[in-house]
Amino acid sequence: MPNPASLADDPAALRRALIAARFTLDGISDCLGPMASQALHREQRLPADLVTRDDTSPVATLVRLFALGLPVGVRQLDRALPGWDTARLRSAGLVRTDGSRAHAAYDLRPYGEDDHQWWVVSDLSEVMTGEPLPVDHVLGIGGASMTLASWTPRRPVARALDLGTGCGVQSLHLAGHAEHIVATDTSARALEIAAWNAALNGYEWDLLRGDLFRPVGGAEFDLIVSNPPFVITPRTDGVPTYEYRDGGRVGDGVVRSLIRQLPQHLNPGGVAQLLANWEVPEGKEWRDVVGEWFDRTGLDAWVVQRDTQDPAEYAELWSGDGGLRAGATGFEQLYGAWLHDFEARGIAEIGFGVITVQLPETRRRPWKELVEVTGPVQSPMGPAIDAGLRARTWLAEAGEQGLLDAHLTVAADVTEERHGRPGAEDPSVIVIRQGGGLRRAVRVDTAVAAFVSVCDGELSTGQALGAIASLLDVPTDELVRGSLPAIQELVADGLLLTGA
């Protein structure tokens, strides 16, 4: 294990050495070039290997050691990190030596966003070791962790919880807007590596071991983020249980349990952001399955399904996730265990998505929205999630009359498309399209299109609909009833703004 005590005397020293060696996001990009950089993001090492093979610069040496998992000369490594030579790296547990060669004991690489750059330690991937992962593997920066970080709203908060922290990626992001961070995990190894990453990047987190909310007792938080071990794994002998992805429950039970406990651990107005898989049995619809998770919780819920897989696709993905590929000994048995488990429980489909939850500040009926958005979305999504929470909360509290009294404006990223048959006098299809956020494309009728066109803040919703009813020669009440649901949808997703 990496040794946090080895950093306790001067945790900034290694950061300074890494920066001096240009082992940074920009430095690595400049060293590798665009093609090798993109290949490495796809976990293809060869282009980066070829580019750095004859390069003895500090950054190339560190890329080969920590990003590619290739041995480097001890003397070469000593020159790459003055003040953090091979002996000190070995004492810290980051490298091991074999005569004149040094080998990475852990993956170490820079990671960041526009305003921050960090360095993250995690276990070596199976691409680097060439072997299947051990069950106590601590995952590094993956697609799921980056998705969660992108979708999390970044409101300033007093207390935040990173549930299932792994190596601590979400806590790094939380450090920019949370005064106090608690991070939990069931894995002792994950917490030790998270402690190392906290020290390396100059942070202090409360790190607690245990299942779901058990380690925090009755504590409440303003923001909870979780990339939980949501993978649906057969609970049968011979199927490995990876700590970073398997929660030890049948089916999607770990996420259902998490959601049911959220009301006891969110402050009023508090938000939870998490990723999840869910099972859809034969004859059921995913919205009904997931929607039931929130019944009688009192929580506002916004669920976006991003992808679906049939049982065979899902089994192939997770059978091979740990490094056991098709054709390898044991692959078919593992694949078959997943298929048998899904068949025995009548599962037709597995969904993946992002769940946003809010505990209302006021005593009102909670809102619930479940949508499917499989295409590209804004990056980062956090600002759109924050705005969407506020808009939906405003709609729930203002009610129909509040919406009629509101003076709405059109968001700057909204455009309108009209489609019709050649020679037709009127369009047959009108679409209001959003450039950011979830990039919604909402098909509307002539009345709603006319309403959107006059949303400049001058008229209230009721006044504008009344004027349009007169122009179309239809009863105002009838047009209001027919148009308000579409207007509510446009407000909720940020195509129309309330100014509230």
Side-chain angles (χ1 to χ4, degrees):
M1 288 297 298
N3 179 12
S6 66
L7 285 179
D9 56 343
D10 187 6
L14 181 54
R15 289 202 308 276
R16 289 195 299 268
L18 294 170
I19 293 169
R22 298 203 70 232
F23 193 58
T24 61
L25 293 171
D26 288 342
I28 292 174
S29 178
D30 291 343
C31 174
L32 296 182
M35 183 185 75
S37 294
Q38 289 302 316
L40 190 56
H41 282 302
R42 300 191 300 271
E43 297 189 343
Q44 296 296 326
R45 294 191 302 170
L46 182 59
D49 178 13
L50 295 174
V51 168
T52 58
R53 190 168 290 178
D54 299 319
D55 187 344
T56 59
S57 68
V59 63
T61 300
L62 297 176
V63 166
R64 292 184 68 79
L65 178 67
F66 288 122
L68 304 184
L70 299 171
V72 300
V74 167
R75 291 183 179 180
Q76 185 178 340
L77 181 56
D78 288 342
R79 292 192 297 269
L81 283 174
W84 269 84
D85 59 12
T86 305
R88 191 172 182 186
L89 290 169
R90 185 175 59 223
S91 176
L94 286 173
V95 304
R96 54 184 177 82
T97 55
D98 174 16
S100 63
R101 298 192 305 175
H103 304 261
Y106 291 87
D107 185 303
L108 167 63
R109 65 183 67 195
Y111 166 70
E113 53 187 3
D114 290 342
D115 300 327
H116 298 90
Q117 181 167 252
W118 308 286
W119 285 264
V120 177
V121 173
S122 62
D123 278 332
L124 298 173
S125 69
E126 54 91 11
V127 174
M128 298 169 76
T129 64
E131 299 175 355
L133 300 178
V135 293
D136 63 349
H137 178 81
V138 177
L139 195 66
I141 302 153
S145 60
M146 289 190 289
T147 296
L148 179 59
S150 173
W151 283 65
T152 300
R154 299 297 170 191
R155 302 176 186 176
V157 296
R159 286 175 56 80
L161 171 64
D162 177 5
L163 191 153
T165 188
C167 70
V169 172
Q170 303 308 319
S171 289
L172 291 174
H173 286 276
L174 290 171
H177 64 107
E179 296 175 15
H180 183 76
I181 297 168
V182 178
T184 69
D185 209 289
T186 59
S187 166
R189 290 194 77 251
L191 291 174
E192 290 183 25
I193 290 177
W196 218 95
N197 285 325
L200 178 60
N201 291 285
Y203 299 128
E204 292 184 6
W205 308 326
D206 285 344
L207 297 166
L208 305 174
R209 186 182 181 190
D211 183 58
L212 294 181
F213 292 101
R214 192 172 300 165
V216 302
E220 297 177 343
F221 301 89
D222 305 301
L223 176 62
I224 298 173
V225 298
S226 184
N227 179 13
F230 57 72
V231 176
I232 299 165
T233 304
R235 308 261 71 90
T236 53
D237 293 339
V239 176
T241 301
Y242 290 98
E243 291 181 342
Y244 72 87
R245 75 183 198 190
D246 299 319
R249 272 99 165 157
V250 173
D252 47 30
V254 66
V255 181
R256 283 188 282 110
S257 297
L258 194 162
I259 287 171
R260 286 292 179 181
Q261 295 177 56
L262 279 174
Q264 287 75 51
H265 296 282
L266 282 173
N267 286 320
V271 173
Q273 192 76 53
L274 56 144
L275 305 182
N277 275 171
W278 42 79
E279 297 181 317
V280 183
E282 294 279 0
K284 287 199 172 183
E285 213 274 333
W286 79 268
R287 289 177 177 83
D288 297 328
V289 172
V290 179
E292 290 177 357
W293 294 357
F294 301 96
D295 289 349
R296 297 177 298 281
T297 64
L299 295 169
D300 296 328
W302 184 9
V303 184
V304 181
Q305 178 165 278
R306 297 288 289 147
D307 195 11
T308 61
Q309 291 184 319
D310 63 40
E313 290 175 307
Y314 196 86
E316 291 160 18
L317 172 65
W318 295 111
S319 294
D321 175 69
L324 192 63
R325 305 302 186 204
T329 302
F331 176 82
E332 288 193 0
Q333 290 85 343
L334 199 57
Y335 189 1
W338 250 283
L339 294 178
H340 176 74
D341 179 58
F342 286 134
E343 183 180 14
R345 293 184 294 108
I347 303 303
E349 186 175 76
I350 303 92
F352 169 81
V354 188
I355 297 176
T356 308
V357 167
Q358 177 179 253
L359 183 65
E361 288 189 87
T362 59
R363 294 179 63 86
R364 59 166 171 78
R365 184 177 179 180
W367 52 262
K368 182 165 59 177
E369 183 172 341
L370 296 93
V371 296
E372 185 166 13
V373 180
T374 56
V377 297
Q378 176 181 313
S379 181
M381 264 297 291
I385 292 295
D386 196 1
L389 280 171
R390 297 182 192 279
R392 287 164 174 79
T393 300
W394 181 85
L395 286 167
E397 294 177 350
E400 183 176 300
Q401 189 57 52
L403 180 57
L404 288 171
D405 292 339
H407 293 248
L408 305 179
T409 58
V410 181
D413 63 341
V414 170
T415 57
E416 180 185 274
E417 300 173 6
R418 292 177 176 247
H419 306 273
R421 296 285 299 170
E425 191 170 316
D426 297 315
S428 56
V429 176
I430 306 173
V431 176
I432 306 297
R433 189 176 296 276
Q434 179 184 40
L438 292 173
R439 298 186 180 174
R440 300 299 302 272
V442 183
R443 184 170 175 174
V444 298
D445 60 18
T446 302
V448 173
F451 173 77
V452 172
S453 71
V454 299
C455 282
D456 57 5
E458 291 296 319
L459 298 176
S460 70
T461 301
Q463 291 170 333
L465 290 176
I468 293 168
S470 296
L471 288 173
L472 298 177
D473 195 25
V474 297
T476 299
D477 289 349
E478 179 182 318
L479 187 133
V480 167
R481 285 195 305 272
S483 301
L484 274 189
I487 295 171
Q488 288 170 330
E489 181 180 351
L490 294 172
V491 170
D493 282 325
L495 290 83
L496 294 178
L497 307 177
T498 65

